[in-house]
Amino acid sequence: MFAPKLAFIDVETTGANPVVDRVTEIAILRVEDGRLVERWSSLVNPGMPIPPTIQSFTGITDAMVAGAPAFAELADGVRALLADCVFVAHNARFDYGFIKNEFSRIGEGFDAPVLCTVKLSRALYPQHHRHGLDALIARHGLTCSARHRAMGDTEALLQFAGIVADEFPPEILGMAVAKAMKAPSRPVGLPEGVLEGLPECPGVYLFFGENELPIYIGKSVSLRSRVMSHFSADHRSSKEAKLAQQVRRVEWLPTAGELGALLLEARLVKERKPTENRQLRETDAVFGLRFDPARKRGPVLVREPLNGADPADWGAVYGAFRNKKEADNALRELATLYKLCPRRIGTEPWGDGACMAHQMKRCAGICCGKESPQAHDERLLKVLESLRLRRWPWSGPVAIREHHADTGRSAVHVVDRWCLLGSVCDETELAALREAMPARRFDLDTYRILQRWLDTPAARGAVTPLG
């Protein structure tokens, strides 16, 4: 059952992060013993510009809030309306986080029990997959006088509460309410509402501790679900438990799709060097192997630096390795299979007499005169073909397009010979990028991301050759 005193509330804001964004509108419906006793709403001057995308989404413009009161002027009235009430909102921790942070900015604390109507709908109607406010309005025939305006959305929530109160017996409703009021797991130092502000779309997220250096950068096709999973006590590994204890701030960068998230993560990890990321960090030492026939004894394979180079300049280069150990492991495996001499290929130093591999019948004997260099190297070159980087399937640069239907976000990634030349949002920016086409600069992680991505027919269908 619902509590005797409820405050249905909705806020419109300048963005999704309650730490840096501000409230632009508040609406509160105070209900006592099932009866609406107070109805109040106000625009709020956020003290900062409202982004154009937010203005078009909510209809609240900079001009509309220019003469509105600041939150400090409304604080006493808001506190009185919320006093002794359960704080009821859709995706409630988001609204609660903004209200709590607005009070914090004026040096005041705020706490209240919170009931989330998203969680309430999930608990009562588990057969449905969507529980956003648009889905509830359509499913239950709710009336909303102004969608994405604070009072219109709050009125819809009040109607939803009345419907479920009539439809479910008190014991079922009581269990659902208790579940919907359970606070999510979160790091102790992370402000309220930050996690709830994360969108359910592809993108990259950054965890920060006490300073400006990120401690971890990750990516996901669903930002909110992935970030929430880091802090879920039920699924947390020891590594994630340690990470969760350090997080004090979360930032995120939405993308138009999974490929954009993968490419952005790879770039940001290299640029920002987060302490807890082990992969994607170091690529400066990436090298391939080039056969040098001028070397009479060995090793006949020499390093060819790859990172930052133009693949068109490589010639015959085999493999892409981050360090000597990685290269040696690949060569040792081939040497064992095809009786190559470890001294000739450089995995062991040159010495007198037969190598240990020959004594174990794993080398054909170039090291002790039993095989000619020509015979050995002919076999070596055939074997090295298996290590060649994949041939670029097109004759020149291509555009890979992504679009996310729910957010309307689009991106075009321009790629040539596995090198990312740039990512833009629309055709105008694409034309500008083509006009000043950047030089190709190879990055091993980008190569591997694109290679995996373009293996699927659906991905290749999103490719347009640019000529």
Side-chain angles (χ1 to χ4, degrees):
M1 294 179 64
F2 292 113
K5 295 181 180 180
L6 305 170
F8 292 83
I9 182 169
D10 184 74
V11 299
E12 301 302 329
T13 65
T14 61
N17 191 329
V19 178
V20 297
D21 292 309
R22 304 294 293 271
V23 170
T24 59
E25 188 176 39
I26 309 174
I28 300 174
L29 298 175
R30 184 179 173 100
V31 176
E32 297 181 5
D33 298 320
R35 188 168 55 89
L36 179 62
V37 296
E38 291 193 61
R39 174 193 183 92
W40 175 87
S41 69
S42 176
L43 289 169
V44 184
N45 189 330
M48 64 187 298
I50 303 173
T53 53
I54 301 295
Q55 292 190 45
S56 62
F57 183 68
T58 64
I60 301 173
T61 65
D62 288 330
M64 291 169 62
V65 298
F71 183 82
E73 302 172 61
L74 302 170
D76 289 344
V78 170
R79 188 181 292 279
L81 284 165
L82 299 177
D84 305 319
C85 287
V86 172
F87 187 107
V88 186
H90 210 61
N91 192 26
R93 293 283 165 181
F94 174 86
D95 302 80
Y96 182 71
F98 269 93
I99 294 297
K100 192 175 181 71
N101 276 278
E102 290 288 2
F103 274 113
S104 178
R105 290 187 186 98
I106 61 174
E108 298 181 16
F110 176 77
D111 288 292
V114 178
L115 170 59
C116 177
T117 49
V118 173
K119 293 181 179 179
L120 182 63
S121 179
R122 286 176 180 156
L124 293 172
Y125 303 98
Q127 70 273 27
H128 296 295
H129 296 293
R130 300 177 70 88
H131 298 274
L133 191 52
D134 285 327
L136 265 61
I137 290 171
R139 191 151 58 236
H140 300 285
L142 308 179
T143 301
C144 183
S145 57
R147 185 71 178 96
H148 302 301
R149 291 297 300 270
M151 183 54 76
D153 290 353
T154 306
E155 289 172 339
L157 293 185
L158 180 60
Q159 295 170 55
F160 174 69
I163 288 172
V164 298
D166 292 338
E167 186 172 337
F168 292 91
E171 61 273 14
I172 298 297
L173 183 60
M175 288 189 292
V177 167
K179 189 174 183 179
M181 293 183 70
K182 185 177 179 181
S185 300
R186 70 177 66 246
V188 175
L190 195 65
E192 286 274 2
V194 170
L195 299 183
E196 288 72 20
L198 281 154
E200 288 283 14
C201 72
V204 172
Y205 57 93
L206 300 87
F207 290 162
F208 294 85
E210 301 291 351
N211 55 43
E212 293 303 308
L213 176 68
I215 56 179
Y216 184 77
I217 296 176
K219 51 79 180 55
S220 178
V221 293
S222 178
L223 282 170
R224 185 190 298 177
S225 299
R226 179 68 187 104
V227 173
M228 289 283 201
S229 72
H230 278 283
F231 309 121
S232 171
D234 295 337
H235 303 97
R236 194 185 304 169
S237 65
S238 58
K239 178 182 176 181
E240 287 198 328
K242 178 185 175 184
L243 181 64
Q245 293 171 1
Q246 302 176 60
V247 176
R248 297 293 179 271
R249 181 162 59 92
V250 178
E251 293 182 3
W252 57 91
L253 298 166
T255 61
E258 184 180 6
L259 178 60
L262 288 164
L263 295 171
L264 180 59
E265 178 199 31
R267 177 172 65 81
L268 288 179
V269 169
K270 293 178 184 65
E271 292 177 355
R272 308 293 296 273
K273 294 181 170 52
T275 56
E276 296 299 319
N277 286 82
R278 294 292 176 258
Q279 297 181 340
L280 305 176
R281 286 189 59 176
E282 301 299 336
T283 58
D284 290 346
V286 168
F287 64 91
L289 298 171
R290 180 170 49 82
F291 176 69
D292 185 358
R295 297 188 171 215
K296 300 302 181 185
R297 298 179 70 191
V300 292
L301 298 178
V302 295
R303 293 187 183 189
E304 179 80 19
L306 300 184
N307 198 61
D310 185 344
D313 299 334
W314 288 346
V317 176
Y318 305 97
F321 309 101
R322 295 183 186 276
N323 50 58
K324 187 178 186 301
K325 180 180 179 182
E326 191 175 308
D328 285 354
N329 287 341
L331 290 174
R332 287 192 184 103
E333 183 176 348
L334 294 177
T336 301
L337 291 172
Y338 298 98
K339 291 193 172 183
L340 300 172
C341 181
R343 292 178 182 172
R344 183 77 170 167
I345 64 176
T347 57
E348 290 182 12
W350 198 269
D352 296 327
C355 69
M356 183 62 69
H358 178 69
Q359 296 175 42
M360 299 174 67
K361 298 183 179 181
R362 294 178 182 172
C363 163
I366 186 176
C367 50
C368 56
K370 293 184 178 180
E371 182 181 34
S372 69
Q374 293 78 10
H376 177 278
D377 293 346
E378 183 179 341
R379 191 167 68 256
L380 171 62
L381 288 172
K382 289 180 180 178
V383 169
L384 286 176
E385 286 298 320
S386 66
L387 296 180
R388 267 193 190 269
L389 297 184
R390 184 180 294 187
R391 184 183 66 84
W392 180 240
W394 294 275
S395 60
V398 301
I400 306 175
R401 286 176 168 80
E402 288 189 295
H403 179 74
H404 193 265
D406 290 346
T407 64
R409 188 173 284 105
S410 296
V412 185
H413 311 290
V414 179
V415 182
D416 189 18
R417 293 182 183 249
W418 308 109
C419 300
L420 177 65
L421 304 184
S423 296
V424 296
C425 296
D426 54 39
E427 298 304 315
T428 302
E429 292 182 2
L430 175 60
L433 178 62
R434 294 185 66 182
E435 186 70 24
M437 193 71 86
R440 292 182 293 256
R441 293 175 57 84
F442 182 79
D443 174 79
L444 179 57
D445 297 309
T446 299
Y447 164 73
R448 289 175 175 172
I449 289 168
L450 291 169
Q451 183 182 351
R452 290 192 296 268
W453 182 262
L454 292 170
D455 267 348
T456 64
R460 291 174 76 95
V463 173
T464 305
L466 295 178

